Amino acid sequence: MSLETFEQVLGKFLDPENGVPLAAGRQVHEVRLDGTAVKIRVAFSSYVAPLYPELRDQISELARTYLPGAQRVDVEIIEHPRPAIPAGQLGLTAKSVILVGSGKGGVGKSTVALSVALALKKAGCKVGLLDADVYGPSVPQLTGVRGQAAKAGDKIAAFDYDGMKLMSIGYMVPADKAVIWRGPMLHSAVTTFLRDVEWGNLDFLIIDMPPGTGDIALTLSQVIPGASAVVVCTPQEVALIDAVKAVAMFQQVKIPVVGVVENMSSFICPDTGKRYDIFGKGGARQYAEEAGLPFLGEIPINIGIRERGDAGESAANFSDPTVAPFLEKIAYQLVRYLSQKAVQSPVKLQLPVL
Ligand code: ADP
């Protein structure tokens, strides 16, 4: 077995973002054998940043298999500049638009939307979060980012939270004005958010949806044809019934559901470490399995999540070892599932004519 054979094998490794072999995407930058040390430098775009650790492991494994004499394998991942393409006709550029919905309020939908967005951002993705929950925009509360939307040239400036772009219906209308919008007004508000906010070039736009209603989902299905949805529920049976309705609502407007998240799944007592399944156990996972939907993970009931949410310090959840791994896993599973779908139907690569 030779370096050349390994280079050929590595060239056939599929980019999880689009299912295209690395060689075709010109993403292998270096393969060097120095005595018994192998140095490999490959490029993937920030879209698959949560998968970097496992990509490193897989390529390392490949090198050890094909170059059995290698004592040291060093795999470096650098960023492949692959800009987003327009999502729909409104001028939004994002590789994936993920709508986070629930059948009813209070299940932690906004907390999950924000946490997924933050976890993707922390892994290295370019992320925007749009709080489109017209009936109770809670992202300003959860993040502590407050203010009124302002113009930036002919666009609306996005707010910044921990390096992530943020916009909320709460920055557009005064907090004391109850928003009771229907049909055309909702349609135009959502269109404004997508068309006029300066989102830049995003890997992911996460949208915190209003609970239950189909109005905004219908608009989004029309203006962003490639959007997909994540449904949040608690393990309790009544919440699951609502989740089933949310899934049906997304399916009705032809938005594929790419994940179910179970929130408030259990309480781990900080004093004893004992687990209490306050709202029952495993219901969402079972439902997802039965419905043939990916189960992305669960988040325990945790006093810290509630306290940090109330204090506008939700980003600090990522410094809490009893919470962070759950949030990171959900973001990882989401990207993994999206990439599995991409690899099953790889894009045709347009190589530049030299
Ligand atoms: P929704 O968007 O579904 O209405 P929120 O995300 O606004 O729900 O959450 C409602 C309340 O529950 C907030 O106070 C939030 O901090 C809290 N909360 C959400 N998830 C958890 C959890 N896993 N553990 C503890 N509190 C939570």
Side-chain angles (χ1 to χ4, degrees):
M1 283 191 264
S2 66
L3 195 62
E4 205 180 318
T5 316
F6 171 65
E7 279 183 287
Q8 281 172 6
V9 173
L10 182 60
K12 288 186 186 141
F13 190 94
L14 301 183
D15 184 336
E17 178 175 353
N18 55 13
V20 172
L22 292 187
R26 305 207 172 137
Q27 288 164 255
V28 180
H29 289 256
E30 186 182 6
V31 178
R32 189 158 45 90
L33 192 58
D34 222 345
T36 56
V38 193
K39 162 92 184 135
I40 300 157
R41 201 149 47 91
V42 283
F44 293 97
S45 96
S46 55
Y47 180 78
V48 293
L51 308 183
Y52 282 3
E54 74 177 37
L55 287 168
R56 215 175 279 124
D57 288 350
Q58 286 168 4
I59 292 172
S60 202
E61 182 74 29
L62 215 55
R64 287 184 195 284
T65 308
Y66 281 85
L67 301 166
Q71 306 261 310
R72 235 193 91 192
V73 178
D74 176 17
V75 180
E76 185 191 353
I77 295 182
I78 56 170
E79 193 177 327
H80 185 66
R82 183 181 290 130
I85 47 161
Q89 305 294 319
L90 293 174
L92 173 74
T93 43
K95 290 181 179 174
S96 276
V97 178
I98 308 287
L99 322 184
V100 180
S102 63
K104 62 172 190 181
V107 299
K109 169 185 56 60
S110 302
T111 303
V112 172
L114 172 61
S115 301
V116 168
L118 279 171
L120 291 169
K121 154 72 193 41
K122 285 193 182 300
C125 304
K126 299 178 183 78
V127 184
L129 174 66
L130 168 58
D131 172 13
D133 187 349
V134 283
Y135 307 120
S138 44
V139 165
Q141 167 66 49
L142 294 172
T143 56
V145 176
R146 300 185 182 276
Q148 284 290 307
K151 283 260 178 186
D154 56 355
K155 290 268 190 181
I156 301 167
F159 287 74
D160 177 87
Y161 185 59
D162 217 30
M164 182 171 94
K165 302 235 177 178
L166 202 64
M167 183 46 69
S168 167
I169 193 97
Y171 302 140
M172 304 287 248
V173 286
D176 57 347
K177 282 225 167 89
V179 187
I180 308 168
W181 291 355
R182 289 269 170 257
M185 277 181 87
L186 283 177
H187 183 86
S188 88
V190 170
T191 313
T192 302
F193 277 137
L194 299 174
R195 189 190 50 216
D196 297 337
V197 172
E198 201 176 28
W199 292 110
N201 216 310
L202 296 177
D203 290 319
F204 292 91
L205 178 65
I206 308 293
I207 305 186
D208 183 8
M209 301 284 287
T213 160
D215 283 343
I216 290 187
L218 181 60
T219 295
L220 287 168
S221 71
Q222 290 161 353
V223 295
I224 308 181
S228 34
V230 166
V231 170
V232 181
C233 55
T234 66
Q236 222 173 352
E237 197 159 331
V238 301
L240 280 174
I241 293 166
D242 290 310
V244 175
K245 281 191 210 145
V247 169
M249 185 271 289
F250 282 123
Q251 286 171 341
Q252 210 174 344
V253 297
K254 308 247 172 336
I255 295 177
V257 176
V258 294
V260 173
V261 171
E262 183 176 287
N263 189 26
M264 310 192 185
S265 57
S266 53
F267 174 70
I268 297 162
C269 178
D271 303 331
T272 61
K274 194 167 183 293
R275 178 184 165 132
Y276 297 90
D277 296 307
I278 295 174
F279 293 123
K281 192 176 167 209
R285 182 191 289 270
Q286 196 186 335
Y287 160 65
E289 270 166 22
E290 284 165 9
L293 300 170
F295 181 71
L296 300 181
E298 56 187 30
I299 305 172
I301 280 203
N302 179 289
I303 298 168
I305 295 181
R306 207 270 306 146
E307 285 175 346
R308 292 175 205 119
D310 283 355
E313 290 168 1
S314 294
N317 283 331
F318 287 85
S319 312
D320 179 346
T322 64
V323 175
F326 293 97
L327 310 181
E328 282 155 5
K329 185 175 167 211
I330 291 166
Y332 161 79
Q333 293 286 13
L334 174 66
V335 178
R336 193 156 165 265
Y337 178 73
L338 293 174
S339 79
Q340 275 167 356
K341 281 213 310 190
V343 170
Q344 279 158 14
S345 53
V347 295
K348 281 219 178 69
L349 190 72
Q350 304 262 318
L351 284 176
V353 182
L354 294 174

